[in-house]
Amino acid sequence: MQTVTTTVAGLGMREFTGGSGDPLVILHHSFGNPGWMPVHEALADHYTVHALDLPGYGGTEGSERPDWARHPRDLALLVGQWLRAKDLGPVVLVGCGFGGWVAAELATMAPELLKRLILVGAAGLLPEQGRIYDQFLVSHSNYVQAAFSRPEAYDAIFSSNGDSPDELPMSDDTLVIWDMNREMTTRVAWKPYMYNRRLRPLLGGVNVPALVVWGDNDAVVPIECAHAFVEALPDARLEVVPDCGHAVDLEAPESLAAIITSGTAKSAGTAQITGGAS
């Protein structure tokens, strides 16, 4: 694995990259990219993985902030320019949570840049019955913890222990990065919170195979949004990961990697895998 920074629109954009094979780009949740994670390592056995820090995310060493950006579509435009600057060709694009929203927006604007679209617990659509968990009503650590169905999975990544997230010995660096990430999220996705009414009708023009992956215990984005994505995209199917929360990439990395590497996303419908968290 190595860290690479590429300048796009005057902004340095950082990625963690490793592996070999066709290019796969993965976009992170609103709480950012914790680094080179097990899901990246598992995917790197099959792809050249580019784990990109979205513009304005990753702290002082991450991607630089576009002060003009006010919507996830602005970030999608920058990701599109980054893909062209890297000359990666059509890529497999994986978007997790908020990153899934950015990926979906990019797919509506520049589908020619994508070989496949994979949305994992993606935000971006307004639920009709439930609601998207509002991170601005809780502490940083409480929000990130809500993305996991199993506390031990959260602890394994963020080195916490104890019963109260607010009293955990979280490192200052992590808290600062989470704070900067939330500030960027506020700029682009606060109002309306985590959805775009224009996105759903535009998804009908996405002419690349799509795969939608959801944890069956997702407490952040209701699973009805998964079905809405499948219904709106012309060529999409759903995989549900049992015993897993919102952050499928972090809580069940091997399961997600297996779905991505084995899936062809060529037919509509709904499927459910077995095996749970890994």
Side-chain angles (χ1 to χ4, degrees), residues 14-38:
R14 182 181 71 166
E15 62 177 295
F16 303 97
T17 185
S20 61
D22 293 340
L24 180 147
V25 176
I26 185 166
L27 306 180
H28 55 72
H29 297 268
S30 63
F31 52 83
N33 187 354
W36 185 255
M37 303 303 296

Side-chain angles (χ1 to χ4, degrees), residues 172-188:
D172 289 344
D173 288 345
T174 297
L175 290 173
V176 168
I177 291 172
W178 281 356
D179 195 57
M180 295 177 70
N181 292 343
R182 179 173 286 193
E183 182 179 349
M184 189 64 204
T185 303
T186 305
R187 286 172 176 261
V188 299

Side-chain angles (χ1 to χ4, degrees), residues 55-246:
Y57 289 81
T60 56
E61 297 182 357
S63 293
E64 293 181 84
R65 173 182 297 167
D67 290 332
W68 47 267
R70 289 296 181 272
H71 194 275
R73 285 181 79 83
D74 297 331
L75 304 188
L77 286 169
L78 287 167
V79 173
Q81 290 199 10
W82 175 81
L83 286 170
R84 294 185 180 94
K86 300 283 291 186
D87 194 23
L88 295 177
V91 303
V92 177
L93 180 61
V94 182
C96 304
F98 172 72
W101 181 5
V102 175
E105 296 282 4
L106 177 60
T108 67
M109 294 186 286
E112 71 278 5
L113 295 175
L114 309 186
K115 184 176 182 180
R116 291 173 64 200
L117 173 66
I118 300 172
L119 303 176
V120 184
L125 298 181
L126 175 64
E128 295 183 358
Q129 303 297 325
R131 66 180 181 85
I132 298 175
Y133 189 58
D134 192 340
Q135 64 183 281
F136 301 123
L137 299 179
V138 296
S139 69
H140 298 310
S141 56
N142 276 333
Y143 177 70
V144 179
Q145 197 166 57
F148 292 79
S149 66
R150 295 176 298 117
E152 59 270 27
Y154 167 88
D155 292 345
I157 295 172
F158 297 104
S159 300
S160 57
N161 53 66
D163 296 324
S164 173
D166 289 329
E167 296 176 359
L168 298 177
M170 192 68 64
S171 75
D172 289 344
D173 288 345
T174 297
L175 290 173
V176 168
I177 291 172
W178 281 356
D179 195 57
M180 295 177 70
N181 292 343
R182 179 173 286 193
E183 182 179 349
M184 189 64 204
T185 303
T186 305
R187 286 172 176 261
V188 299
W190 177 33
K191 193 175 183 179
Y193 180 67
M194 287 291 176
Y195 69 88
N196 175 11
R197 291 186 184 276
R198 295 168 292 175
L199 177 59
R200 189 187 299 240
L202 294 174
L203 291 172
V206 177
N207 57 354
V208 296
L211 176 63
V212 179
V213 183
W214 231 261
D216 69 342
N217 289 325
D218 192 324
V220 176
V221 181
I223 198 167
E224 67 174 277
C225 293
H227 295 287
F229 273 115
V230 172
E231 291 173 3
L233 289 160
D235 183 4
R237 64 185 176 91
L238 173 63
E239 294 273 4
V240 178
V241 180
D243 303 321
C244 186
H246 175 66

